[in-house]
Amino acid sequence: MPKNTRKIESGIETDFSDKMSYGSYLALDTLLASQQPVSKPEHHDEMLFIIQHQTSELWLKLMLHELRAVRRQLAQDNLRAAMKGVARIKHIQRSLTEQWSVLATLTPSEYAQFRGDLGSASGFQSYQYRAVEFMLGNKNAGMLKVFEANPAAQSMLAETLAQSSIYDEFLALLARRGFAVPAELLERDVTKAHVFNAELVQLFRVVYEAPDEHWDLYEACEELVDLEDNFQLWRFRHVHTVKRIIGMKTGTGGSSGVGFLQRALELTFFPELFAVRTEIGQ
């Protein structure tokens, strides 16, 4: 055997006629056949565009899987297990954010060759992304209308809209620990976005000013701040990647494009966890 060839060990499986293989376990035939460029003639860079977005949807699927588990663990007072889930989500976020650097290699002239073939398709229509925002607390019932043509997606989003967010569950856990969480937050309409509450800032101040006494809660607060920081970084990279590729053009889905995306940077999931920083040390 040539020196630069690795010998296949005798114990390695090579016959998969009646056994599960790597490809069958991962359904690779289906997965790898799902990249179907629509440009004609097919433009080389459309494959990048498709894989970028399909990969993002896979990561979003995993993020939703983890967020649902985090919500369950918080409801069961398993704070440490919930934070383990948050730690994994943070790594998923890092992968999602880094992917923008790949799409940013698409130049304006390259994208222009197939952008018109996308029709009205837009990332704005990602129902998994909307579900992630709902689970983090950015509820918006008006988004359900976008998915009327996809009943399964609309049903999943409606169910997620009606459920508590992970912030709702964290506040409920704090209340069970004996903290004076305002009643209106514990009894609120969870189909609406969380609104800043000044009383909650003072509650978090208690946690932050005595970290040794409330270490697990103190740590959990910082984990949630990390989660929001990462999400905002993803939004920021999204805005600048879009700006780099299409400038100030209108989005394919009908939005104003960059301007619309920039306004998302003003949204926050856990406002009191940021506001409390002004209070510390005063």
Side-chain angles (χ1 to χ4, degrees):
M1 180 171 289
K3 290 183 179 180
N4 199 33
T5 301
R6 181 173 60 173
K7 182 180 180 180
I8 298 177
E9 296 175 353
S10 59
I12 292 178
E13 294 280 359
T14 58
D15 181 6
F16 297 98
S17 55
D18 62 351
K19 301 184 187 75
M20 179 180 290
S21 68
Y22 175 81
S24 60
Y25 175 68
L26 296 176
L28 287 184
D29 287 346
T30 300
L31 181 67
L32 298 179
S34 298
Q35 295 73 50
Q36 299 291 329
V38 297
S39 56
K40 298 200 183 304
E42 181 180 321
H43 192 276
H44 173 82
D45 296 298
E46 190 179 355
M47 185 64 73
L48 160 64
F49 194 79
I50 291 172
I51 290 177
Q52 166 87 23
H53 290 84
Q54 287 183 339
T55 306
S56 294
E57 290 295 332
L58 286 172
W59 283 125
L60 288 170
K61 182 173 183 176
L62 182 57
M63 192 185 300
L64 281 170
H65 179 70
E66 297 299 335
L67 281 169
R68 290 178 181 123
V70 166
R71 184 174 57 197
R72 274 196 312 274
Q73 297 290 0
L74 289 173
Q76 296 168 4
D77 291 325
N78 296 327
L79 185 59
R80 292 177 66 185
M83 292 306 107
K84 170 62 169 65
V86 170
R88 179 174 291 172
I89 291 166
K90 286 161 56 179
H91 285 288
I92 296 169
Q93 288 178 306
R94 189 170 299 117
S95 292
L96 276 166
T97 300
E98 183 55 34
Q99 283 188 192
W100 290 120
S101 65
V102 183
L103 191 61
T105 66
L106 185 66
T107 68
S109 55
E110 289 167 345
Y111 185 41
Q113 296 299 309
F114 65 89
R115 186 177 188 241
D117 295 301
L118 302 181
S120 58
S122 165
F124 179 79
Q125 299 144 19
S126 168
Y127 59 86
Q128 290 198 122
Y129 172 81
R130 295 301 159 193
V132 167
E133 285 213 328
F134 283 6
M135 293 199 71
L136 291 174
N138 183 19
K139 302 290 186 74
N140 184 348
M143 286 303 307
L144 297 183
K145 183 175 176 57
V146 177
F147 304 97
E148 285 180 348
N150 186 342
Q154 188 181 55
S155 176
M156 183 274 280
L157 276 177
E159 181 180 354
T160 307
L161 182 75
Q163 294 171 337
S164 55
S165 70
I166 64 167
Y167 198 40
D168 291 322
E169 292 297 344
F170 182 54
L171 297 182
L173 181 148
L174 287 171
R176 292 191 295 273
R177 291 277 192 97
F179 285 86
V181 179
E184 62 266 28
L185 295 180
L186 300 173
E187 300 164 3
R188 77 182 194 87
D189 179 356
V190 297
T191 66
K192 300 185 184 304
H194 171 82
V195 177
F196 176 80
N197 185 289
E199 290 180 61
L200 194 55
V201 176
Q202 297 310 311
L203 183 157
F204 284 131
R205 182 174 183 171
V206 172
V207 172
Y208 273 86
E209 290 187 337
D212 291 339
E213 187 178 341
H214 309 291
W215 185 262
D216 61 340
L217 296 176
Y218 173 72
E219 184 178 36
C221 288
E222 286 297 284
E223 289 287 332
L224 292 177
V225 168
D226 284 347
L227 203 60
E228 174 150 344
D229 267 354
N230 288 347
F231 205 95
Q232 292 287 40
L233 181 58
W234 182 91
R235 284 170 169 163
F236 179 83
R237 290 292 301 274
H238 185 190
V239 170
H240 281 267
T241 301
V242 171
K243 187 175 182 179
R244 173 174 177 152
I245 297 173
I246 67 167
M248 303 305 290
K249 291 187 183 73
T250 300
T252 51
S255 76
S256 58
V258 168
F260 179 77
L261 296 175
Q262 284 178 327
R263 288 193 292 278
L265 293 171
E266 300 170 4
L267 301 175
T268 179
F269 301 119
F270 321 124
E272 296 85 4
L273 289 174
F274 288 88
V276 72
R277 282 149 167 76
T278 306
E279 305 293 324
I280 305 302
Q282 290 190 358

